[in-house]
Amino acid sequence: MKADKFTLLRHFDGFPKSNDFRLESEELGGLKPGQILCQAEYLSVDPYMRPYTRRFTPPFTMIGAQVAKVLESKNDKYPAGSYVVAGNLGWRTLSVAKDQPEDGKAPTGLEPLPELGDLPRSYALGVIGMPGVTAYFGFLELCQPKEGETVVVTGAAGAVGSLVGQIAKIKGCRVIGFAGTDDKCAWIRQLGFDVAINYKTCADIDAALKEAAPKGIDCYFDNVGGMLSHRIRQQMNLFGRVSVCGAISSYNDKTGQEAQVPVPEMAIVSKQLRIEGFVIHRWWHRREEAFKDMVAWVREGKIKVQETVTTGFEKMPQAFIGMLKGQNTGKAIVKV
C-alpha cells in the first residue's frame, strides 16, 4: 500500500511557507509481529509543532498527532477496526506503527482511543486529548485557583486557552481573556469569560486590564509571552501564580531575531510571583483524571467545544500556517 506524507524540507525561517513542505508517496511493507497498519482520520495542527521541529534534522516527516483507524493488526492490543491516538506518526495518511517505550508516558506514544461514547473522535486531539490535559493540569496544578480570584488567559480563543478559561469559571473565578479578533472575543464571552480584550485593536491595554481587574490579577495562564505577558505581570497581586504554557508571540521570529521586553525580575521580586513553565509529559501518567472531568464537563454543558476543521490531507500546510496566523477558533484539525 502507498502512503502520502508531508516532508519538511528545511527549518522554518520566520513564518512557515507552503514550499517548506513537499507532498510525497511511500510504499509500505507487510506487517511484522506487534505492528499495526492504521489510516489517519483526523490530524492535529498545534503551536508547539513550530518550535519543536528544531529538534530534528530536515528532511523528515512533519511531526504531529493523529486519530487513526486500525486496518490490519498483528498486535492484540489494537484489533482491526479499532481506533488509536498516535502522537508520533506525523503528517501521513497510512502508517505502520508499533508500541514504543513512551507509550502511556507521553503524548508522543501510541494509545487506544479514549472512551468517548457518542462524542466525536476528533475530541481525542483536543478537549479529551493533549490540549485538554494541558489546560487541566497546567492551570489547576500550577495556578491553584481559588473561588473568587481573578484569572487572565492569553491565547484565549485557542485550543488550550479556551479550555483554561472555562475551567476557571467552573472553579468560581473571574476570567479575563485576550484574543486577536472581535469575533474571537465575542466567542469567548459566549463561553463565559467575564471580559474579552482584543489585544490587536485595544488602544491602551494597561488601562483596559486595570478596568477589567480593579483588584489585580491572581492567576495568569500564559500562552503568548512577549510584551503582553510583561504588561499582565505588572498588574498581578502579591503571591500571584503564573503558568507558562507557550510563547507563540515569538515562534515565528526569523532566525537570530529576539523579542525585546523589559527586564521582568522587578515585578517578580516585588510581587513575590511564582512563575513556572511546564511540558505536558509531566502529568501524562495522570491523563485519565483529566479525561474523566473533561468528558463530564462537556456532557454537562460546562465546557463548550469548537473546532476549526480543514478537509483534505493535501491542505495540511494550509491548516498549519493558518493556525499560526490565528485563523482558527478553538481546536484546529484536518479531516482526511
Side-chain angles (χ1 to χ4, degrees):
M1 299 181 71
K2 280 191 175 181
D4 291 332
K5 66 176 185 176
F6 274 100
T7 296
L8 186 65
L9 301 176
R10 62 188 69 87
H11 284 307
F12 304 120
D13 186 17
F15 223 92
K17 300 175 286 295
S18 58
N19 63 5
D20 291 329
F21 305 94
R22 183 171 62 212
L23 180 59
E24 300 177 337
S25 292
E26 179 181 74
E27 191 72 36
L28 299 179
L31 297 184
K32 298 177 181 179
Q35 292 183 330
I36 61 174
L37 174 67
C38 47
Q39 183 177 47
E41 181 180 33
Y42 295 100
L43 294 104
S44 184
V45 288
D46 299 284
Y48 81 87
M49 298 156 87
R50 170 64 175 83
Y52 273 45
T53 56
R54 283 282 173 188
R55 300 182 176 192
F56 306 95
T57 301
F60 58 87
T61 302
M62 181 59 185
I63 61 174
Q66 59 176 256
V67 169
K69 183 176 183 179
V70 180
L71 300 182
E72 298 178 26
S73 177
K74 290 191 176 181
N75 187 324
D76 293 340
K77 183 179 176 182
Y78 310 104
S82 66
Y83 287 85
V84 296
V85 182
N88 59 356
L89 296 184
W91 293 9
R92 306 173 54 90
T93 56
L94 288 168
S95 302
V96 173
K98 63 178 181 179
D99 288 321
Q100 300 290 341
E102 68 266 25
D103 292 350
K105 302 176 184 177
T108 53
L110 177 69
E111 301 181 12
L113 189 77
E115 291 293 334
L116 298 175
D118 58 353
L119 297 178
R121 286 189 290 272
S122 58
Y123 281 16
L125 296 176
V127 62
I128 319 298
M130 183 272 290
V133 178
T134 298
Y136 186 92
F137 287 112
F139 178 58
L140 296 178
E141 292 283 325
L142 299 189
C143 287
Q144 298 180 358
K146 301 176 182 66
E147 185 175 356
E149 289 191 322
T150 297
V151 175
V152 171
V153 183
T154 47
V160 173
S162 61
L163 298 177
V164 170
Q166 293 180 86
I167 295 170
K169 291 304 297 180
I170 290 169
K171 297 300 180 180
C173 298
R174 175 175 173 81
V175 184
I176 302 161
F178 282 88
T181 70
D182 290 342
D183 286 345
K184 289 182 177 182
C185 287
W187 178 62
I188 64 174
R189 290 190 194 98
Q190 292 174 11
L191 297 182
F193 283 65
D194 297 283
V195 180
I197 301 172
N198 185 335
Y199 69 91
K200 290 184 178 178
T201 60
C202 181
D204 189 339
I205 286 177
D206 296 332
L209 196 53
K210 190 173 291 292
E211 180 182 355
K215 296 181 180 180
I217 300 159
D218 301 293
C219 304
Y220 171 36
F221 194 91
D222 184 4
N223 282 308
V224 301
M227 183 58 75
L228 180 55
S229 289
H230 168 75
R231 288 174 167 173
I232 292 167
R233 288 193 298 267
Q234 302 308 301
Q235 298 196 36
M236 294 196 70
N237 290 328
L238 193 65
F239 305 118
R241 289 88 70 198
V242 181
S243 176
V244 183
C245 180
I248 196 171
S249 66
S250 63
Y251 285 171
N252 297 300
D253 290 347
K254 284 188 170 290
T255 302
Q257 181 180 351
E258 296 180 356
Q260 300 295 315
V261 296
V263 174
E265 281 78 8
M266 286 304 297
I268 296 171
V269 172
S270 64
K271 298 172 183 291
Q272 301 184 64
L273 303 180
R274 191 180 73 219
I275 301 177
E276 188 168 351
F278 71 96
V279 177
I280 196 53
H281 295 58
R282 175 173 170 181
W283 295 293
W284 196 249
H285 66 289
R286 294 174 56 191
R287 63 195 176 282
E288 294 298 335
E289 297 175 41
F291 290 168
K292 180 181 177 181
D293 281 346
M294 299 299 267
V295 167
W297 290 336
V298 170
R299 294 193 186 283
E300 294 165 5
K302 293 179 179 179
I303 284 186
K304 299 178 179 65
V305 178
Q306 182 160 327
E307 297 175 320
T308 298
V309 182
T310 301
T311 301
F313 180 75
E314 72 281 0
K315 295 180 180 177
M316 287 296 303
Q318 173 185 323
F320 177 63
I321 293 168
M323 177 273 303
L324 290 173
K325 289 182 176 179
Q327 294 174 359
N328 62 297
T329 300
K331 181 71 186 81
I333 59 172
V334 174
K335 187 177 188 302
V336 178

